[in-house]
Amino acid sequence: MPPMNRRRFLLTAPLLLAAVAGCAEAAPQALTVYKTPYCGCCKGWITHMTRAGFKTDVREVEDLNPIRSQHGVPFELSSCHTALIGGYVVEGHVPPADVVRLLKEKPKAIGLTVPGMPIGSPGMESPKGTTEPYATLLLLDARGRTRVFARHG
């Protein structure tokens, strides 16, 4: 290799490697979503997650309770769909930014939950644009211990 090409290669190789590494980090996270075939707001939440860059695998089931039970989500903290990502459970209308933060911080927990179906949460938008305040909870254990992870609205 001529000296000029070798020098150019040595100068650009680290930049090329950094770009490739950046692409690997930007690869979409796989998100498995369990929902019933009858729920329309779940589709709205899935749309939010897809737009945020998550690769969604939607699985329709008749009963979510066995899935929630298997992953440690108590009934009183449940919502209308359950998702799995990166070793965590995501229950209900959790904003995509909260899921990104969860995956980045990697707390010792079962996952995140937004119990119920708060108006204004992702997938639960109101035609009037109204929202109600709600919290994303970090689910610490299967006994239902939580702490506030983020506040919204």
Side-chain angles (χ1 to χ4, degrees), residues 35-144:
K35 64 179 267 327
T36 66
Y38 320 105
C39 188
C41 64
C42 298
K43 292 176 187 173
W45 183 77
I46 292 164
T47 299
H48 279 274
M49 298 304 287
T50 302
R51 287 181 182 158
F54 294 94
K55 184 177 185 285
T56 57
D57 173 22
V58 180
R59 300 183 184 180
E60 292 190 345
V61 296
E62 291 296 321
D63 186 5
L64 290 167
N65 289 324
I67 294 162
R68 289 186 190 118
S69 179
Q70 178 183 357
H71 295 285
V73 179
F75 178 77
E76 56 275 2
L77 296 174
S78 66
S79 184
C80 57
H81 55 268
T82 304
L84 304 175
I85 186 167
Y88 291 103
V89 65
V90 177
E91 179 70 22
H93 295 269
V94 176
D98 292 353
V99 177
V100 170
R101 180 178 154 209
L102 173 78
L103 296 172
K104 181 179 178 185
E105 294 179 3
K106 297 183 183 355
K108 185 177 179 184
I110 290 174
L112 298 176
T113 180
V114 171
M117 299 163 71
I119 301 299
S121 60
M124 288 296 298
E125 291 82 5
S126 163
K128 296 178 183 179
T130 57
T131 62
E132 60 185 0
Y134 68 95
T136 299
L137 304 175
L138 183 66
L139 180 57
L140 299 171
D141 59 36
R143 292 180 302 189

